[in-house]
Amino acid sequence: MPELESLEDVTTPPGTGASPARHAAARWFGRIAPLVVVGAVLGAGPSLYNNLAFLTTLAIYILLAQGVNIVYGFTGYLPFGFVGFFGAGIYGSSLAIVYWHVGGYAAIALGALTSVVAALILSPLLRLSGAYFALATLAASQALYFIVANESWTFGESGMSLPLLFSPTALYVISVVAVVVALIVVLYVRDSHFGLSLRAIRSDAVSAAMAGVNVVRTRTIAWLVSAALAGVAGALWALMTSAFYAETPFDLTISVYAIVFALFGGVRTAVGPVVGTVVLYSLYQYIGISNPQYFELIYGLLIVVLVLFLPGGLTSLVGGRGDRPAWWNRLVRRRAAPEVAP
Amino acid sequence: MASGLAAASLSASQSAGASGNVITVGTLYANTGSFATSSMPEYAGLQFWVKQVNAAGGMYVAPLKKKEHVQLVSYNDQSDPATATTLYNQLLTQNKVNVFVADFGSVLTAPAVTIAKDQKHLLFDITGSGTSFFSSGPNPYVALTSLPVSAVWPKPVVGLLSSLKIKRVAILYCQNDFDQAQAAAIKGFLASEHLQPVYFQGVPTTQSDYSTIVQAIKGANPQAVLEFGYPNNDIAFLNQLKSTNTHFNFVLTPFPGQLPTLFSQDVGAKALAWEYTYAVPPIMRVNKVNLGLGLNAFLQKFAPGKESTVNFLNVAGYNAGLAVQAAFAHATSMSQLGIRAGLTAVSGKLQTLEGTFALNKAGAQVGELLPVAQMVPHGAGFQFKIVYPATAAQKAMVNGTPKYPAPRA
């Protein structure tokens, strides 16, 4: 378990021979560069493609993929029912707007809080593992859906109708800020002792506990943080959509997309879910516009091919040698061969 | 990727404008997913309208004082409301359509209502009759073209129950806006007559097992049973009446009139015998029109030789096109409010194959009321007989008397 030895082992490449000051500078660059690049790319989005509904939805999916990244990437728990937290965020923020007439920012905070409360209630599910955990979260999200859909105080029957609290531009700016904050959270999880503990638990929970990691508390915090991200995503979606029926926020395809986007980009990294979402969701929109008749075929084939040949996600191509797919290592070796051959 | 998206949308815009001056109408359809069976017939009706208008040299656009061709710009939302949100926005921001038409039903219309209000762009809502769309005061940017709002539907049912002196009514409804609004309207009527339903129960829209519920209703000994659901609910309910060999003297469900072929296949003519439903076109035949084709002409031109395959959703799609046509023909300017003013000008005066087109201030359809029909056995099948009109003008359409109590099939 090399990850447990020290934080420096994770953040400092061994045997580089560089000075501590250069290491520190490189570490900070590694943390700030993704924030600047992601912020700049999303900020430039409207000048490249002025469909703010698409861009805001893209940002919402990035938040969801980052939530999956934290709970699955760092702890190994695959939450098929992750959409339940998204729906909780949507209804938490919407009901706060309808009943308490709160403003947009308070609605976002209350959406996140609602999801965290839902995650706390569902935290005993963390006692399960593997397929049992995945199915239990799926069942929990459906239970949440049926409660919301069948209660009149949640407007499950008549549908929700909200006032428009933000202009599309303002909402997009808020979404980009939320994505950057989520990225900071993931960078913290990746580089901190907390993240190290999560990875230790992922590798072997019993060994981690014996090494002094509070497994239950650490896991639960990750679970709550990922739920909070989904809650913020839900609140943003509610503010964007404003008129909807319960079946839309709890649609299981939202879970599937969030998981696929995170895996495609690469989990356990900060930028992987961002890259995965930007590439796949843009492709989704592109095919939907240009070749709608072949949508399922093209998108399905693409995902199958990518899962087969890039199981570690896109970012694995630029990761450490051990993370890269074998075919990529062979390709790189073959290209390098003429230079070393006599 | 962003430039690719922009390029894809640009190509759509270019094709829209390729024929010179055109009016662009944007719409979505679902060729996969749970709404596909309803969305595609509606889309076919709208496409037929475009074909008809362009064959006649275009539609008259009052502010331009000339005829213009119509270009339909459409995308497939795959029955997914989240995808529909971005695609409706695509129609407005990239294709810059003049007006847009919603996909089928309230779920896929909801994102369009938000965008229409937000971006102040006129939306022609074909079948999204959810009351929440029209309950927040005057709204000039949404117009419901093909169905009255849900709460208005049961008006003639109330009249029919009253005329048959039925006092013990059982109401079973699915917990969604469309069905709950109808159930509440009937309950309100009974309350005004100092009556209470003998059975009043909501079930989830996903309900498919009605066997216990049927027995519970039977225990309440009703004179009439009203089941308000979506097609799958209606089918499951009627099938379980049949399988449990339960007979009621009066049963009404909303969808057999809209989808008679589907109900014939899935429920069977015998189980449908003497059942009541809403009479929508083509059961209700309006041939005296002042815009577009009358119902008989529509049937002949839309599906020559196959008139029996035409359903209400084909008519609804065509009727939405007629509403667009009327709006431009009477528009005061090419602005969105100018086009909406055209609709206001024709409201209450426009007669189409769906009846009188009339909007209230919130944009809800309050004309086009639906009479009640009964399914009368006819050979191996059945035929619809209109037994109770929704308006005085519909009295001429009545071609049968209600058979009550319904004989055992």
Side-chain angles (χ1 to χ4, degrees):
Chain A
M1 298 238 297
E3 296 113 319
L4 278 180
E5 288 166 11
S6 81
L7 186 58
E8 287 301 300
D9 288 343
V10 178
T11 54
T12 309
T16 54
S19 69
R22 286 187 66 183
H23 280 320
R27 271 207 308 276
W28 277 107
F29 179 76
R31 287 168 189 164
I32 291 169
L35 298 175
V36 174
V37 171
V38 169
V41 168
L42 293 180
S47 58
L48 296 169
Y49 180 55
N50 188 25
N51 181 340
L52 286 175
F54 166 77
L55 293 171
T56 307
T57 309
L58 180 78
I60 287 168
Y61 269 119
I62 291 174
L63 289 172
L64 287 171
Q66 290 290 28
V68 169
N69 187 23
I70 290 174
V71 74
Y72 175 64
F74 290 97
T75 73
Y77 281 83
L78 183 61
F80 258 125
F82 197 60
V83 70
F85 297 142
F86 180 64
I90 288 172
Y91 274 91
S93 55
S94 301
L95 295 174
I97 293 168
V98 171
Y99 288 119
W100 299 334
H101 308 292
V102 300
Y105 295 109
I108 294 170
L110 288 167
L113 183 67
T114 310
S115 293
V116 169
V117 170
L120 260 180
I121 294 167
L122 296 174
S123 58
L125 296 183
L126 290 167
R127 289 173 180 275
L128 304 170
S129 60
Y132 298 103
F133 174 80
L135 289 174
T137 57
L138 194 66
S141 72
Q142 287 305 286
L144 214 54
Y145 161 66
F146 280 111
I147 292 168
V148 169
N150 291 302
E151 291 291 338
S152 54
W153 63 270
T154 58
F155 304 93
E157 296 150 0
S158 58
M160 184 68 78
S161 184
L162 301 174
L164 294 165
L165 298 181
F166 292 114
S167 71
T169 308
L171 193 62
Y172 179 62
V173 171
I174 295 166
S175 305
V176 172
V177 171
V179 166
V180 171
V181 171
L183 199 55
I184 292 170
V185 171
V186 176
L187 283 167
Y188 171 77
V189 171
R190 188 191 68 179
D191 295 344
S192 66
H193 283 283
F194 173 71
L196 211 55
S197 304
L198 286 176
R199 275 180 278 177
I201 294 168
R202 181 189 165 93
S203 300
D204 187 338
V206 175
S207 302
M210 290 177 72
V213 175
N214 187 332
V215 174
V216 174
R217 195 186 68 178
T218 310
R219 241 182 219 166
T220 306
I221 291 172
W223 175 244
L224 298 182
V225 170
S226 72
L229 289 181
V232 171
L236 292 170
W237 187 90
L239 291 167
M240 178 184 75
T241 308
S242 86
F244 52 87
Y245 291 87
E247 60 199 89
T248 310
F250 292 95
D251 185 348
L252 287 175
T253 54
I254 294 170
S255 271
V256 174
Y257 284 146
I259 292 168
V260 168
F261 293 163
L263 289 174
F264 177 67
V267 290
R268 288 194 298 281
T269 65
V271 294
V274 181
V275 173
T277 308
V278 169
V279 172
L280 279 190
Y281 193 62
S282 300
L283 200 64
Y284 176 94
Q285 177 84 345
Y286 179 78
I287 299 170
I289 293 169
S290 59
N291 297 292
Q293 68 276 32
Y294 300 123
F295 180 84
E296 280 84 2
L297 180 70
I298 296 173
Y299 207 64
L301 277 177
L302 188 79
I303 290 172
V304 169
V305 167
L306 290 170
V307 169
L308 279 175
F309 295 104
L310 272 177
L314 273 184
T315 49
S316 68
L317 291 177
V318 292
R321 188 180 169 80
D323 295 333
R324 294 180 214 146
W327 63 266
W328 181 255
N329 280 333
R330 279 199 300 275
L331 190 71
V332 172
R333 209 180 306 142
R334 211 168 287 157
R335 279 194 180 165
E339 294 172 20
V340 293
Chain B
M1 187 59 72
S3 58
L5 283 168
S9 55
L10 184 64
S11 70
S13 304
Q14 281 173 338
S15 69
S19 55
N21 290 335
V22 293
I23 298 296
T24 49
V25 177
T27 193
L28 302 187
Y29 60 90
N31 79 347
T32 54
S34 54
F35 296 109
T37 51
S38 302
S39 173
M40 293 312 288
E42 206 173 82
Y43 181 51
L46 187 62
Q47 286 178 308
F48 175 75
W49 167 75
V50 173
K51 207 172 134 192
Q52 288 284 112
V53 160
N54 287 339
M59 67 177 181
Y60 182 70
V61 181
L64 305 179
K65 295 187 172 59
K66 61 174 181 172
K67 278 187 167 185
E68 294 281 15
H69 278 80
V70 177
Q71 177 78 42
L72 196 60
V73 183
S74 52
Y75 296 118
N76 173 18
D77 60 34
Q78 304 158 72
S79 301
D80 177 15
T83 303
T85 302
T86 63
L87 291 177
Y88 282 127
N89 217 50
Q90 176 82 11
L91 289 169
L92 268 50
T93 60
Q94 307 300 306
N95 302 121
K96 302 191 188 306
V97 295
N98 292 102
V99 291
F100 68 137
V101 178
D103 199 345
F104 167 81
S106 295
V107 172
L108 292 174
T109 299
V113 170
T114 303
I115 291 169
K117 288 179 181 173
D118 187 26
Q119 303 198 20
K120 299 185 172 25
H121 212 96
L122 185 54
L123 171 73
F124 290 80
D125 167 7
I126 309 182
T127 44
S129 58
T131 43
S132 61
F133 302 162
F134 308 100
S135 57
S136 54
N139 170 26
Y141 297 106
V142 182
L144 180 57
T145 63
S146 272
L147 289 172
V149 276
S150 309
V152 178
W153 283 45
K155 196 178 156 195
V157 177
V158 164
L160 177 59
L161 292 173
S162 184
S163 72
L164 296 173
K165 299 189 177 10
I166 289 173
K167 297 195 183 304
R168 296 178 59 81
V169 180
I171 301 171
L172 175 67
Y173 63 95
C174 286
Q175 288 160 322
N176 59 62
D177 180 31
F178 170 66
D179 294 311
Q180 197 189 22
Q182 294 178 73
I186 302 256
K187 192 181 181 189
F189 157 74
L190 292 174
S192 70
E193 301 277 311
H194 307 291
L195 295 171
Q196 287 289 320
V198 293
Y199 182 92
F200 190 79
Q201 183 66 49
V203 293
T205 308
T206 49
Q207 185 83 25
S208 58
D209 181 6
Y210 288 87
S211 51
T212 312
I213 293 168
V214 165
Q215 294 312 314
I217 295 173
K218 200 174 173 185
N221 192 26
Q223 293 171 290
V225 178
L226 314 178
E227 187 273 333
F228 297 111
Y230 278 123
N232 288 347
N233 307 105
D234 293 2
I235 288 169
F237 176 75
L238 292 170
N239 272 331
Q240 282 168 34
L241 283 185
K242 182 172 64 174
S243 63
T244 55
N245 199 25
T246 307
H247 174 78
F248 294 114
N249 289 332
F250 182 114
V251 176
L252 178 136
T253 56
F255 278 96
Q258 287 192 36
L259 301 163
T261 311
L262 178 72
F263 275 75
S264 295
Q265 287 167 358
D266 290 5
V267 180
K270 203 177 164 190
L272 288 168
W274 307 110
E275 212 247 300
Y276 295 84
T277 189
Y278 294 117
V280 294
I283 301 167
M284 182 181 84
R285 298 204 171 205
V286 178
N287 288 304
K288 267 177 108 175
V289 297
N290 54 24
L291 184 65
L293 301 169
L295 200 275
N296 289 346
F298 175 80
L299 294 176
Q300 284 161 14
K301 291 201 172 179
F302 183 78
K306 298 178 188 167
E307 288 85 351
S308 63
T309 62
V310 179
N311 65 29
F312 166 69
L313 295 165
N314 298 133
V315 178
Y318 176 69
N319 194 59
L322 295 180
V324 172
Q325 191 173 339
F328 277 97
H330 296 87
T332 53
S333 74
M334 288 303 282
S335 72
Q336 294 298 306
L337 288 177
I339 299 166
R340 178 62 174 81
L343 272 184
T344 307
V346 299
S347 178
K349 299 172 198 157
L350 180 63
Q351 296 289 330
T352 71
L353 72 177
E354 283 195 9
T356 306
F357 179 94
L359 298 175
N360 68 11
K361 281 182 182 170
Q365 181 59 235
V366 289
E368 301 178 7
L369 298 177
L370 305 171
V372 180
Q374 190 171 27
M375 285 173 269
V376 177
H378 182 73
F382 62 85
Q383 59 185 14
F384 291 99
K385 294 283 184 190
I386 295 177
V387 294
Y388 199 85
T391 62
Q394 288 177 352
K395 278 183 182 166
M397 292 180 191
V398 173
N399 57 0
T401 50
K403 184 88 172 167
Y404 178 83
R408 273 189 177 270

PDB file of all heavy atoms in Angstrom, chain B residues 321-345:
ATOM      1  N   GLY B 321     -50.584  23.421 -37.288  1.00  0.00           N
ATOM      2  CA  GLY B 321     -50.140  24.158 -38.468  1.00  0.00           C
ATOM      3  C   GLY B 321     -51.152  25.220 -38.871  1.00  0.00           C
ATOM      4  O   GLY B 321     -50.790  26.350 -39.217  1.00  0.00           O
ATOM      5  N   LEU B 322     -52.430  24.875 -38.804  1.00  0.00           N
ATOM      6  CA  LEU B 322     -53.475  25.850 -39.159  1.00  0.00           C
ATOM      7  C   LEU B 322     -53.440  27.047 -38.204  1.00  0.00           C
ATOM      8  O   LEU B 322     -53.668  28.188 -38.617  1.00  0.00           O
ATOM      9  CB  LEU B 322     -54.852  25.183 -39.109  1.00  0.00           C
ATOM     10  CG  LEU B 322     -55.102  24.072 -40.146  1.00  0.00           C
ATOM     11  CD1 LEU B 322     -56.516  23.506 -39.977  1.00  0.00           C
ATOM     12  CD2 LEU B 322     -54.917  24.590 -41.577  1.00  0.00           C
ATOM     13  N   ALA B 323     -53.160  26.773 -36.928  1.00  0.00           N
ATOM     14  CA  ALA B 323     -53.072  27.879 -35.959  1.00  0.00           C
ATOM     15  C   ALA B 323     -51.909  28.807 -36.309  1.00  0.00           C
ATOM     16  O   ALA B 323     -52.032  30.035 -36.233  1.00  0.00           O
ATOM     17  CB  ALA B 323     -52.907  27.316 -34.548  1.00  0.00           C
ATOM     18  N   VAL B 324     -50.788  28.202 -36.733  1.00  0.00           N
ATOM     19  CA  VAL B 324     -49.635  29.009 -37.163  1.00  0.00           C
ATOM     20  C   VAL B 324     -50.040  29.868 -38.370  1.00  0.00           C
ATOM     21  O   VAL B 324     -49.768  31.077 -38.428  1.00  0.00           O
ATOM     22  CB  VAL B 324     -48.442  28.091 -37.538  1.00  0.00           C
ATOM     23  CG1 VAL B 324     -47.308  28.895 -38.173  1.00  0.00           C
ATOM     24  CG2 VAL B 324     -47.938  27.336 -36.305  1.00  0.00           C
ATOM     25  N   GLN B 325     -50.728  29.234 -39.303  1.00  0.00           N
ATOM     26  CA  GLN B 325     -51.157  29.907 -40.532  1.00  0.00           C
ATOM     27  C   GLN B 325     -52.077  31.093 -40.210  1.00  0.00           C
ATOM     28  O   GLN B 325     -51.918  32.188 -40.761  1.00  0.00           O
ATOM     29  CB  GLN B 325     -51.889  28.886 -41.412  1.00  0.00           C
ATOM     30  CG  GLN B 325     -52.154  29.350 -42.814  1.00  0.00           C
ATOM     31  CD  GLN B 325     -52.739  28.210 -43.679  1.00  0.00           C
ATOM     32  OE1 GLN B 325     -52.572  27.026 -43.350  1.00  0.00           O
ATOM     33  NE2 GLN B 325     -53.407  28.571 -44.749  1.00  0.00           N
ATOM     34  N   ALA B 326     -53.009  30.861 -39.310  1.00  0.00           N
ATOM     35  CA  ALA B 326     -53.956  31.924 -38.938  1.00  0.00           C
ATOM     36  C   ALA B 326     -53.226  33.067 -38.235  1.00  0.00           C
ATOM     37  O   ALA B 326     -53.531  34.243 -38.455  1.00  0.00           O
ATOM     38  CB  ALA B 326     -55.040  31.348 -38.023  1.00  0.00           C
ATOM     39  N   ALA B 327     -52.255  32.714 -37.406  1.00  0.00           N
ATOM     40  CA  ALA B 327     -51.515  33.747 -36.667  1.00  0.00           C
ATOM     41  C   ALA B 327     -50.783  34.670 -37.632  1.00  0.00           C
ATOM     42  O   ALA B 327     -50.841  35.900 -37.494  1.00  0.00           O
ATOM     43  CB  ALA B 327     -50.529  33.077 -35.711  1.00  0.00           C
ATOM     44  N   PHE B 328     -50.113  34.108 -38.629  1.00  0.00           N
ATOM     45  CA  PHE B 328     -49.366  34.936 -39.585  1.00  0.00           C
ATOM     46  C   PHE B 328     -50.312  35.711 -40.501  1.00  0.00           C
ATOM     47  O   PHE B 328     -50.019  36.832 -40.903  1.00  0.00           O
ATOM     48  CB  PHE B 328     -48.398  34.076 -40.406  1.00  0.00           C
ATOM     49  CG  PHE B 328     -47.104  33.814 -39.689  1.00  0.00           C
ATOM     50  CD1 PHE B 328     -46.909  32.643 -38.984  1.00  0.00           C
ATOM     51  CD2 PHE B 328     -46.084  34.758 -39.702  1.00  0.00           C
ATOM     52  CE1 PHE B 328     -45.722  32.400 -38.310  1.00  0.00           C
ATOM     53  CE2 PHE B 328     -44.889  34.535 -39.020  1.00  0.00           C
ATOM     54  CZ  PHE B 328     -44.704  33.347 -38.317  1.00  0.00           C
ATOM     55  N   ALA B 329     -51.429  35.090 -40.807  1.00  0.00           N
ATOM     56  CA  ALA B 329     -52.380  35.759 -41.717  1.00  0.00           C
ATOM     57  C   ALA B 329     -52.990  37.000 -41.083  1.00  0.00           C
ATOM     58  O   ALA B 329     -53.449  37.903 -41.782  1.00  0.00           O
ATOM     59  CB  ALA B 329     -53.482  34.781 -42.131  1.00  0.00           C
ATOM     60  N   HIS B 330     -53.019  37.050 -39.744  1.00  0.00           N
ATOM     61  CA  HIS B 330     -53.634  38.195 -39.056  1.00  0.00           C
ATOM     62  C   HIS B 330     -52.639  38.922 -38.167  1.00  0.00           C
ATOM     63  O   HIS B 330     -53.032  39.749 -37.346  1.00  0.00           O
ATOM     64  CB  HIS B 330     -54.828  37.717 -38.224  1.00  0.00           C
ATOM     65  CG  HIS B 330     -55.926  37.162 -39.072  1.00  0.00           C
ATOM     66  ND1 HIS B 330     -55.957  35.834 -39.471  1.00  0.00           N
ATOM     67  CD2 HIS B 330     -57.006  37.743 -39.636  1.00  0.00           C
ATOM     68  CE1 HIS B 330     -57.020  35.628 -40.234  1.00  0.00           C
ATOM     69  NE2 HIS B 330     -57.680  36.771 -40.353  1.00  0.00           N
ATOM     70  N   ALA B 331     -51.343  38.619 -38.306  1.00  0.00           N
ATOM     71  CA  ALA B 331     -50.327  39.256 -37.462  1.00  0.00           C
ATOM     72  C   ALA B 331     -50.282  40.760 -37.736  1.00  0.00           C
ATOM     73  O   ALA B 331     -50.468  41.211 -38.866  1.00  0.00           O
ATOM     74  CB  ALA B 331     -48.967  38.625 -37.739  1.00  0.00           C
ATOM     75  N   THR B 332     -50.014  41.510 -36.677  1.00  0.00           N
ATOM     76  CA  THR B 332     -49.920  42.967 -36.846  1.00  0.00           C
ATOM     77  C   THR B 332     -48.487  43.399 -37.166  1.00  0.00           C
ATOM     78  O   THR B 332     -48.258  44.498 -37.654  1.00  0.00           O
ATOM     79  CB  THR B 332     -50.381  43.670 -35.552  1.00  0.00           C
ATOM     80  OG1 THR B 332     -49.631  43.132 -34.454  1.00  0.00           O
ATOM     81  CG2 THR B 332     -51.863  43.450 -35.311  1.00  0.00           C
ATOM     82  N   SER B 333     -47.523  42.548 -36.828  1.00  0.00           N
ATOM     83  CA  SER B 333     -46.122  42.801 -37.182  1.00  0.00           C
ATOM     84  C   SER B 333     -45.392  41.467 -37.154  1.00  0.00           C
ATOM     85  O   SER B 333     -45.974  40.456 -36.767  1.00  0.00           O
ATOM     86  CB  SER B 333     -45.483  43.775 -36.191  1.00  0.00           C
ATOM     87  OG  SER B 333     -45.244  43.110 -34.962  1.00  0.00           O
ATOM     88  N   MET B 334     -44.125  41.474 -37.527  1.00  0.00           N
ATOM     89  CA  MET B 334     -43.364  40.223 -37.504  1.00  0.00           C
ATOM     90  C   MET B 334     -42.731  39.956 -36.138  1.00  0.00           C
ATOM     91  O   MET B 334     -42.006  38.990 -35.974  1.00  0.00           O
ATOM     92  CB  MET B 334     -42.280  40.235 -38.593  1.00  0.00           C
ATOM     93  CG  MET B 334     -42.824  40.090 -40.000  1.00  0.00           C
ATOM     94  SD  MET B 334     -43.809  38.590 -40.228  1.00  0.00           S
ATOM     95  CE  MET B 334     -42.522  37.354 -40.393  1.00  0.00           C
ATOM     96  N   SER B 335     -42.976  40.838 -35.174  1.00  0.00           N
ATOM     97  CA  SER B 335     -42.469  40.562 -33.823  1.00  0.00           C
ATOM     98  C   SER B 335     -43.285  39.423 -33.218  1.00  0.00           C
ATOM     99  O   SER B 335     -44.372  39.083 -33.701  1.00  0.00           O
ATOM    100  CB  SER B 335     -42.598  41.808 -32.951  1.00  0.00           C
ATOM    101  OG  SER B 335     -43.958  42.024 -32.636  1.00  0.00           O
ATOM    102  N   GLN B 336     -42.762  38.850 -32.133  1.00  0.00           N
ATOM    103  CA  GLN B 336     -43.468  37.728 -31.505  1.00  0.00           C
ATOM    104  C   GLN B 336     -44.843  38.159 -30.993  1.00  0.00           C
ATOM    105  O   GLN B 336     -45.825  37.429 -31.160  1.00  0.00           O
ATOM    106  CB  GLN B 336     -42.620  37.158 -30.361  1.00  0.00           C
ATOM    107  CG  GLN B 336     -41.328  36.513 -30.823  1.00  0.00           C
ATOM    108  CD  GLN B 336     -41.563  35.321 -31.735  1.00  0.00           C
ATOM    109  OE1 GLN B 336     -42.280  34.391 -31.385  1.00  0.00           O
ATOM    110  NE2 GLN B 336     -40.986  35.350 -32.929  1.00  0.00           N
ATOM    111  N   LEU B 337     -44.904  39.345 -30.412  1.00  0.00           N
ATOM    112  CA  LEU B 337     -46.205  39.812 -29.915  1.00  0.00           C
ATOM    113  C   LEU B 337     -47.134  40.167 -31.075  1.00  0.00           C
ATOM    114  O   LEU B 337     -48.360  40.031 -30.979  1.00  0.00           O
ATOM    115  CB  LEU B 337     -46.020  41.016 -28.977  1.00  0.00           C
ATOM    116  CG  LEU B 337     -45.412  40.672 -27.611  1.00  0.00           C
ATOM    117  CD1 LEU B 337     -45.205  41.935 -26.775  1.00  0.00           C
ATOM    118  CD2 LEU B 337     -46.281  39.673 -26.844  1.00  0.00           C
ATOM    119  N   GLY B 338     -46.535  40.608 -32.170  1.00  0.00           N
ATOM    120  CA  GLY B 338     -47.339  40.912 -33.364  1.00  0.00           C
ATOM    121  C   GLY B 338     -47.976  39.645 -33.928  1.00  0.00           C
ATOM    122  O   GLY B 338     -49.145  39.648 -34.340  1.00  0.00           O
ATOM    123  N   ILE B 339     -47.211  38.550 -33.928  1.00  0.00           N
ATOM    124  CA  ILE B 339     -47.746  37.267 -34.417  1.00  0.00           C
ATOM    125  C   ILE B 339     -48.809  36.754 -33.441  1.00  0.00           C
ATOM    126  O   ILE B 339     -49.862  36.261 -33.845  1.00  0.00           O
ATOM    127  CB  ILE B 339     -46.598  36.236 -34.582  1.00  0.00           C
ATOM    128  CG1 ILE B 339     -45.573  36.739 -35.591  1.00  0.00           C
ATOM    129  CG2 ILE B 339     -47.153  34.895 -35.062  1.00  0.00           C
ATOM    130  CD1 ILE B 339     -44.249  35.976 -35.574  1.00  0.00           C
ATOM    131  N   ARG B 340     -48.526  36.933 -32.132  1.00  0.00           N
ATOM    132  CA  ARG B 340     -49.501  36.494 -31.122  1.00  0.00           C
ATOM    133  C   ARG B 340     -50.806  37.288 -31.264  1.00  0.00           C
ATOM    134  O   ARG B 340     -51.904  36.735 -31.045  1.00  0.00           O
ATOM    135  CB  ARG B 340     -48.904  36.677 -29.723  1.00  0.00           C
ATOM    136  CG  ARG B 340     -49.828  36.298 -28.564  1.00  0.00           C
ATOM    137  CD  ARG B 340     -50.200  34.816 -28.635  1.00  0.00           C
ATOM    138  NE  ARG B 340     -50.960  34.394 -27.461  1.00  0.00           N
ATOM    139  CZ  ARG B 340     -52.264  34.582 -27.287  1.00  0.00           C
ATOM    140  NH1 ARG B 340     -52.961  35.219 -28.227  1.00  0.00           N
ATOM    141  NH2 ARG B 340     -52.860  34.144 -26.207  1.00  0.00           N
ATOM    142  N   ALA B 341     -50.685  38.547 -31.650  1.00  0.00           N
ATOM    143  CA  ALA B 341     -51.890  39.372 -31.844  1.00  0.00           C
ATOM    144  C   ALA B 341     -52.766  38.770 -32.943  1.00  0.00           C
ATOM    145  O   ALA B 341     -54.001  38.883 -32.895  1.00  0.00           O
ATOM    146  CB  ALA B 341     -51.488  40.799 -32.192  1.00  0.00           C
ATOM    147  N   GLY B 342     -52.121  38.139 -33.905  1.00  0.00           N
ATOM    148  CA  GLY B 342     -52.875  37.461 -34.959  1.00  0.00           C
ATOM    149  C   GLY B 342     -53.743  36.348 -34.391  1.00  0.00           C
ATOM    150  O   GLY B 342     -54.895  36.145 -34.822  1.00  0.00           O
ATOM    151  N   LEU B 343     -53.204  35.630 -33.427  1.00  0.00           N
ATOM    152  CA  LEU B 343     -53.990  34.553 -32.805  1.00  0.00           C
ATOM    153  C   LEU B 343     -55.164  35.119 -32.013  1.00  0.00           C
ATOM    154  O   LEU B 343     -56.270  34.577 -32.043  1.00  0.00           O
ATOM    155  CB  LEU B 343     -53.093  33.736 -31.858  1.00  0.00           C
ATOM    156  CG  LEU B 343     -52.312  32.563 -32.426  1.00  0.00           C
ATOM    157  CD1 LEU B 343     -51.578  31.839 -31.314  1.00  0.00           C
ATOM    158  CD2 LEU B 343     -53.228  31.587 -33.159  1.00  0.00           C
ATOM    159  N   THR B 344     -54.883  36.207 -31.304  1.00  0.00           N
ATOM    160  CA  THR B 344     -55.954  36.838 -30.526  1.00  0.00           C
ATOM    161  C   THR B 344     -57.083  37.289 -31.467  1.00  0.00           C
ATOM    162  O   THR B 344     -58.261  37.153 -31.145  1.00  0.00           O
ATOM    163  CB  THR B 344     -55.395  38.056 -29.749  1.00  0.00           C
ATOM    164  OG1 THR B 344     -54.276  37.613 -28.997  1.00  0.00           O
ATOM    165  CG2 THR B 344     -56.433  38.649 -28.820  1.00  0.00           C
ATOM    166  N   ALA B 345     -56.675  37.793 -32.624  1.00  0.00           N
ATOM    167  CA  ALA B 345     -57.673  38.296 -33.580  1.00  0.00           C
ATOM    168  C   ALA B 345     -58.609  37.178 -34.066  1.00  0.00           C
ATOM    169  O   ALA B 345     -59.792  37.431 -34.321  1.00  0.00           O
ATOM    170  CB  ALA B 345     -56.966  38.946 -34.766  1.00  0.00           C
TER     171      ALA B 345
END
